[in-house]
């Protein structure tokens, strides 16, 4: 749709969008004055319109008319949000640069906005100074301080970070420091269906008491220190307490998403060698009770500690040897409010085992060490500007890296964590955002799409939000323009990283103009390289597109895998830059002429479905067995024409390639049934395309990238 230039828009155009004539006339007068003062097509014009004229109750079509009209001739990456110098100076990074900018950058330092990119480069070239500074800003305490910040070692491409240090991330989350008092709220939550009740809160004093008690109870299990203990339950106040207690007591968490089928749970328990698991009897979603404990039993788990979803008891018999939550805590009730002495661990010890899809069908088991939580928190400190007084929400689960990220990014920065125990897709969650006064709201694009489609956020006040965060999948410009408009045009900080990094490698910033569906900067401490067609890194800051590689020295990043060779997965065959071998990531990225980064999906045989990275092989194994007429399949993640989250498309080769009578709708139903039962209940096939054969390399490997390019260009309901 072609939008008029703003100096051509009339009051009648505005009224035609459903705006009352009197309101349309007033809006038009203000628009005319803004255009007269700042021009019809400048970023300053949009800044004024978004800040002073547009409100959430005005039709979104008017927001579109203003944004697209202002930037109709701008070209790529128009700024949807521009930082205010005064507010930028009050951010975490702004305050630091105002104090020490000249010390870091010398005479080239100007102000936090002008000098942010140079400070990011400084964080890469001076990692010792940067990370010592940020750890100090977050009041991180060590029982044994590190010998240095970074020790480079030829046998460790990623270097050794904080060598010699001993610490405990959970202890740091619970410690008293200048960021908080015992009476500060640490966790804010609401259960779905309790929308009319006040939000519930847990103070630091109460959180410490609960975590200490669970830590004492863990010791009654008789497990050796360093043993792996799984969590497979919704992310609620109980699971957060359990998470912190496991780390505090010197054990290793095994993160398992509560949506997984029994076979997926079993795989993760086996790989991690978990000795116990915390779970819940049911997951309550509206009127539905979704079984969880029964899936854990089917996975043949070790001893399970079972929490009731409602009340203090459940109407089911536990498996022999399993323990109810009440019985588990009753053993140590005499120790309530007695401080548990944290188990301080070497920095290289594992604190959490998480899983990311491998291309062979078995998920990669990625241990986070004791530095990784501080990478997550540092990203929150720098890029989302999380600080004392903030209330941070991000619908997720401890089975995905954003669950632990939320724990650490909020608590280590003195902020409160907000949890909604229910579906984030409806008006109940929208009201929770209002009532809890969320200041940093994290999303994935699929959630935003659902909100926009149903308009379930209407009538709720989201003005407390200072910024949004977005991760998990590619976002869509129009949907994110809508999202910004719900909170009076607060910025969306795009955030892309990986489980193996513990945070992001490319992000947005509160000190840079933010463009929709784009990243404005490498993450602090990270360097990015785009691999050209010749297999070598393109020159820095030169626009282009290709597979993204990362500088190897990243604080908190993985250095080992439990079930694969870490060097082979991330470094083998990669080019060198400045004498250092680059680290593989697997995403295709574009650097634009205006210096923004755009994500273009996976370069390898994995895809991103609803924020969940999954290998094509896992999906194809299930689809191949769905019908006896199938010879083989290829699973491809294809972005929609307007951008946004990938859709799952299955290319099918039938044994009888001449048979045109196949019922593809029936086959799609079979595929969905198998995927949702055996892999993940949220996976859904968007389209099936019949092909005569799959494109292959000379060594017979399926060229899914070729299929992806073809499928993105053709009518997906037709034959190829």
């Amino acid at each position: 749709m072609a939008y008029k230039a703003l100096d051509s828009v009339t009051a009648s155009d505005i009224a035609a969008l459903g705006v009352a004539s009197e309101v349309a006339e007033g809006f038009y007068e203000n628009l005319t004055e803004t255009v007269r003062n700042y021009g019809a097509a400048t970023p300053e014009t949009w800044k004024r319109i978004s800040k002073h004229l547009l409100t959430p109750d005005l039709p979104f079509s008017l927001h579109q008319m203003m944004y697209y009209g202002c930037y109709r001739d701008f070209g790529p990456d128009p700024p949807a949000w521009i930082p205010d110098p005064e507010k930028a100076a009050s951010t975490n990074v702004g305050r630091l640069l105002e104090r020490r900018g000249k010390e870091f950058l010398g005479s080239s330092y100007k102000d936090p906005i002008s000098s942010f990119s140079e400070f990011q480069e400084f964080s890469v070239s001076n990692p010792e100074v940067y990370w010592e500074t940020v750890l100090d800003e977050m009041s991180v305490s060590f029982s044994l301080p590190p010998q240095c910040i970074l020790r480079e070692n030829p046998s460790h491409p990623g270097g050794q970070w904080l060598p010699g240090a001993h610490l405990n991330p959970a202890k740091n989350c619970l410690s008293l420091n200048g960021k908080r008092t015992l009476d500060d709220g640490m966790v804010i939550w609401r259960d779905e269906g309790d929308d009319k009740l006040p939000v519930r809160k847990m103070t630091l004093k109460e959180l410490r008491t609960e975590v200490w008690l669970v830590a004492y109870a863990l010791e009654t299990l008789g497990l050796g220190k360093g043993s792996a203990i799984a969590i497979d339950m919704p992310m609620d106040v109980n699971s957060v307490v359990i998470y912190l207690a496991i780390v505090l007591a010197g054990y290793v968490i095994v993160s398992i998403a509560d949506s997984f089928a029994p076979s997926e749970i079993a795989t993760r328990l086996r790989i991690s060698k978990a000795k116990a698991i915390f779970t819940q009897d049911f997951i309550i979603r509206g009127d539905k009770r979704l079984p969880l404990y029964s899936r854990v039993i089917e996975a043949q788990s070790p001893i399970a500690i079972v929490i009731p979803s409602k009340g203090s008891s459940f109407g089911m018999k536990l498996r022999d040897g399993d323990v109810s939550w009440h019985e588990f805590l009753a053993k140590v009730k005499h120790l309530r409010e007695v401080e548990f002495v944290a188990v301080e661990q070497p920095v290289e010890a594992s604190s959490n085992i998480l899983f990311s899809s491998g291309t062979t069908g078995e998920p990669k088991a990625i241990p986070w060490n004791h530095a990784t939580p501080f990478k997550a928190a540092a990203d929150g400190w720098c890029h989302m500007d999380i600080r004392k007084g903030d209330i941070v929400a991000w619908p997720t689960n401890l089975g995905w890296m954003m669950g632990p990220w939320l724990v650490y990014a909020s608590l280590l920065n003195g902020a409160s964590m907000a949890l909604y125990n229910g579906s984030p897709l409806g008006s109940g969650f929208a009201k929770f955002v209002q009532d809890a006064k969320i200041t940093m709201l994290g999303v994935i694009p699929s959630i935003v799409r659902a909100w926009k489609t149903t308009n379930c956020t209407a009538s709720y006040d989201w003005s407390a939000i200072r910024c949004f965060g977005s991760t998990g999948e590619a976002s869509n410009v129009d949907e994110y323009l809508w999202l910004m408009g719900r909170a009076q045009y607060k910025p969306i900080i795009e955030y892309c990283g990986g489980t193996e990094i513990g945070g992001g490698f490319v992000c947005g910033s509160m000190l840079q103009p933010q463009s929709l569906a784009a990243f404005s900067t490498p993450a602090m401490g990270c360097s990015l390289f785009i691999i050209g067609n010749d297999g070598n890194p393109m020159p820095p800051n030169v626009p282009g597109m290709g597979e993204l590689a990362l500088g190897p020295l990243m604080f908190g990043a993985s250095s080992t895998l439990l079930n694969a060779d870490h060097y082979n997965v991330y470094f083998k065959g990669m080019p060198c830059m400045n004498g250092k071998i680059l680290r593989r990531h697997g995403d295709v990225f574009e650097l634009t002429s205006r210096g923004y980064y755009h994500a273009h999906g996976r370069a390898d045989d994995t895809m991103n479905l609803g924020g969940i990275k999954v290998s094509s092989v896992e999906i194809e194994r299930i689809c191949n067995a769905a019908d006896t007429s199938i010879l083989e399949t290829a699973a491809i993640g294809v972005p929609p024409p307007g951008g946004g989250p990938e859709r799952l498309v299955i290319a099918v080769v039938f044994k009888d390639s001449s048979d045109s009578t196949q019922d593809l709708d029936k086959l799609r139903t079979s595929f969905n049934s198998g995927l949702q039962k055996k892999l993940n209940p949220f996976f859904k096939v968007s389209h099936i395309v019949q092909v005569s054969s799959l494109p292959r390399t000379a060594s017979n490997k399926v060229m899914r990238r070729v299929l992806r390019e073809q499928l993105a260009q053709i009518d997906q309901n037709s034959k190829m």
Side-chain angles (χ1 to χ4, degrees):
M1 177 181 178
Y3 286 90
K4 286 184 176 182
L6 294 187
D7 54 5
S8 299
V9 171
T10 66
S12 298
D13 293 332
I14 297 169
L17 299 176
V19 180
S21 57
E22 187 176 322
V23 175
E25 286 288 348
F27 189 98
Y28 173 71
E29 289 176 11
N30 290 327
L31 174 63
T32 302
E33 183 180 355
T34 301
V35 168
R36 184 168 57 246
N37 292 335
Y38 302 101
T42 70
E44 186 62 31
T45 301
W46 169 248
K47 181 179 179 180
R48 299 280 169 170
I49 290 171
S50 61
K51 188 174 182 180
H52 301 296
L53 272 64
L54 293 171
T55 58
D57 57 314
L58 289 170
F60 179 55
S61 54
L62 178 56
H63 293 244
Q64 292 171 306
M65 176 187 282
M66 294 296 103
Y67 176 78
Y68 293 116
C70 180
Y71 287 133
R72 66 197 300 264
D73 299 318
F74 188 86
D77 303 317
W81 178 84
I82 301 169
D84 174 78
E86 187 176 326
K87 290 183 178 178
S90 70
T91 62
N92 290 328
V93 175
R95 291 197 306 273
L96 174 63
L97 288 178
E98 290 287 73
R99 292 197 319 270
R100 301 180 62 186
K102 282 188 165 55
E103 174 191 339
F104 295 147
L105 306 179
S107 59
S108 66
Y109 176 73
K110 296 182 179 64
D111 59 75
I113 293 175
S114 304
S115 300
F116 177 79
S117 292
E118 190 177 353
F119 183 51
Q120 194 284 328
E121 293 170 4
F122 174 88
S123 74
V124 174
S125 58
N126 295 270
E128 295 87 353
V129 177
Y130 175 76
W131 284 105
E132 183 177 11
T133 300
V134 171
L135 294 174
D136 183 60
E137 290 287 324
M138 295 192 301
S139 304
V140 175
S141 66
F142 301 89
S143 62
L144 194 63
Q147 296 157 7
C148 58
I149 296 295
L150 171 62
R151 179 182 293 152
E152 295 195 50
N153 186 327
S155 62
H156 292 82
Q160 293 173 279
W161 293 89
L162 310 180
H166 282 61
L167 73 168
N168 189 297
K171 177 185 174 183
N172 274 271
C173 286
L174 301 172
S175 63
L176 272 174
N177 53 44
K179 293 181 183 291
R180 57 188 165 224
T181 69
L182 286 174
D183 293 327
D184 285 342
M186 290 288 99
V187 187
I188 298 172
W189 77 96
R190 174 180 281 163
D191 292 335
E192 189 173 32
D194 291 347
D195 301 345
K196 295 182 179 179
L197 299 177
V199 295
R200 302 174 69 182
K201 298 183 180 180
M202 182 178 282
T203 65
L204 177 58
K205 181 179 180 181
E206 293 165 337
L207 179 61
R208 282 157 58 117
T209 298
E210 297 302 319
V211 171
W212 292 342
L213 189 66
V214 174
Y216 279 121
L218 284 167
E219 297 202 318
T220 68
L221 297 177
L223 306 177
K225 292 300 177 185
S227 294
I229 301 175
I231 301 176
D232 186 3
M233 54 188 294
M235 190 165 182
D236 59 13
V237 68
N238 284 329
S239 61
V240 169
V241 166
I242 293 164
Y243 186 96
L244 290 169
I246 293 173
V247 176
L248 192 73
Y251 302 104
V252 181
I253 295 154
V254 179
S255 291
I256 301 178
D258 62 0
S259 60
F260 277 140
S263 61
E264 295 296 308
I265 298 171
T267 297
R268 286 154 177 77
L269 293 173
R270 171 180 55 80
I271 294 171
S272 65
K273 300 179 181 176
K275 299 292 192 294
I277 184 170
F278 285 86
T279 190
Q280 197 167 285
D281 55 352
F282 295 96
I283 301 170
I284 307 298
R285 290 292 179 267
D287 296 331
K288 294 181 179 178
R289 293 204 315 166
L290 309 174
L292 182 55
Y293 176 51
S294 62
R295 280 187 270 144
V296 168
I297 293 175
E298 191 176 338
Q300 298 183 326
S301 79
I303 178 175
I305 298 93
V306 188
I307 295 96
S309 52
K310 289 285 186 182
S312 58
S313 61
F314 30 70
M316 59 166 35
K317 187 177 184 299
L318 297 186
R319 181 181 58 175
D320 288 347
D322 290 346
V323 182
S324 74
W325 182 235
H326 176 75
E327 292 172 321
F328 177 70
L329 296 180
K331 299 174 186 175
V332 292
K333 61 183 178 182
H334 59 288
L335 295 173
R336 178 172 284 278
E337 299 190 20
V338 177
E339 181 171 359
F340 184 94
V341 178
V343 177
E344 308 278 357
Q345 299 266 55
V347 70
E348 65 272 13
S350 297
S351 64
N352 197 162
I353 298 168
L354 296 106
F355 295 87
S356 181
S357 286
T359 55
T360 60
E362 183 171 84
K364 294 195 299 282
I366 301 169
W368 279 14
N369 62 28
H370 276 60
T372 313
F374 302 100
K375 156 63 177 171
D379 281 358
W381 181 88
C382 174
H383 293 282
M384 289 82 172
D385 192 44
I386 297 172
R387 51 189 164 169
K388 178 177 170 61
D390 274 326
I391 300 171
V392 184
W394 206 315
T396 184
N397 185 267
L398 289 170
W400 311 116
M401 69 149 280
M402 291 311 295
W405 187 97
L406 176 61
V407 173
Y408 291 124
S410 54
L411 299 186
L412 288 174
N413 286 309
S416 303
M417 179 186 349
L419 305 170
Y420 185 74
N421 189 20
S423 170
L425 301 180
S427 59
F429 181 81
K431 188 174 188 296
F432 174 66
V433 172
Q434 168 191 276
D435 295 350
K437 294 181 170 57
I438 304 297
T439 60
M440 202 295 280
L441 176 59
V443 298
I444 63 170
S446 298
I447 291 178
V448 178
R449 178 168 293 174
W451 290 343
K452 182 174 180 288
T453 300
T454 61
N455 200 30
C456 64
T457 65
S459 79
Y460 295 110
D461 179 2
W462 283 14
S463 60
I465 291 173
R466 292 200 300 119
C467 76
F468 296 95
S470 175
T471 195
E473 50 189 0
S475 47
N476 174 280
V477 170
D478 210 48
E479 290 166 357
Y480 272 35
L481 179 68
W482 176 88
L483 179 64
M484 286 185 72
R486 301 315 93 195
Q488 299 165 0
Y489 285 93
K490 305 299 171 47
I492 299 173
I493 305 301
E494 294 277 3
Y495 187 55
C496 182
T499 305
E500 70 282 1
I501 295 169
F505 58 78
V506 64
C507 314
S509 167
M510 302 281 278
L511 284 85
Q512 294 175 303
Q514 295 303 295
S515 181
L516 293 168
F519 306 86
S520 62
T521 178
M524 298 301 285
C526 296
S527 51
L528 310 181
F529 303 89
I530 292 176
I531 307 298
N533 293 331
D534 61 357
N536 293 310
M538 297 170 61
N541 304 318
V542 174
M545 186 164 73
E547 181 174 348
L548 192 79
L550 311 174
L553 300 177
M554 291 188 293
F555 181 93
S558 65
S559 59
T560 184
L561 297 170
L562 296 188
N563 58 342
D565 185 296
H566 190 272
Y567 182 88
N568 288 347
V569 170
Y570 294 112
F571 293 101
K572 186 178 180 180
M574 291 298 289
C576 290
M577 190 72 176
N578 301 324
K580 293 182 173 66
I581 189 169
L582 299 182
R583 180 170 175 140
R584 179 181 292 107
H585 183 71
D587 284 346
V588 174
F589 265 78
E590 175 189 6
L591 177 61
T592 71
S593 58
R594 285 198 164 98
Y596 289 86
Y597 290 89
H598 290 246
H600 289 278
R602 298 292 295 174
D604 56 19
D605 292 338
T606 63
M607 68 190 79
N608 191 317
L609 301 177
I612 300 170
K613 197 164 73 172
V614 61
S615 79
S616 298
V617 175
E618 291 179 272
I619 293 173
E620 289 159 6
R621 188 173 60 241
I622 293 168
C623 292
N624 288 342
D627 193 283
T628 56
S629 65
I630 294 173
L631 178 64
E632 60 181 344
T633 62
I636 313 293
V638 180
E646 289 183 323
R647 297 179 296 187
L648 175 56
V649 178
I650 307 294
V652 180
V653 180
F654 291 104
K655 293 174 182 175
D656 181 358
S657 60
S658 63
D659 185 359
S660 60
T661 63
Q662 295 289 343
D663 187 339
L664 298 186
D665 286 336
K666 182 179 178 183
L667 190 59
R668 184 160 65 102
T669 301
S670 298
F671 285 171
N672 284 334
S673 176
L675 292 173
Q676 291 165 10
K677 181 178 179 183
K678 297 176 182 176
L679 208 54
N680 191 296
F682 300 112
F683 287 173
K684 187 170 106 176
V685 176
S686 175
H687 293 285
I688 293 176
V689 177
Q690 183 177 345
V691 297
S692 57
S693 63
L694 299 178
R696 295 182 182 274
T697 63
S699 59
N700 208 38
K701 291 183 179 178
V702 176
M703 294 189 291
R704 295 181 182 83
R705 193 186 304 190
V706 172
L707 278 172
R708 186 182 297 117
E709 291 169 357
Q710 293 173 345
L711 291 170
Q713 296 170 10
I714 66 167
D715 176 4
Q716 293 177 338
N717 289 317
S718 67
K719 290 186 180 181
M720 285 173 57

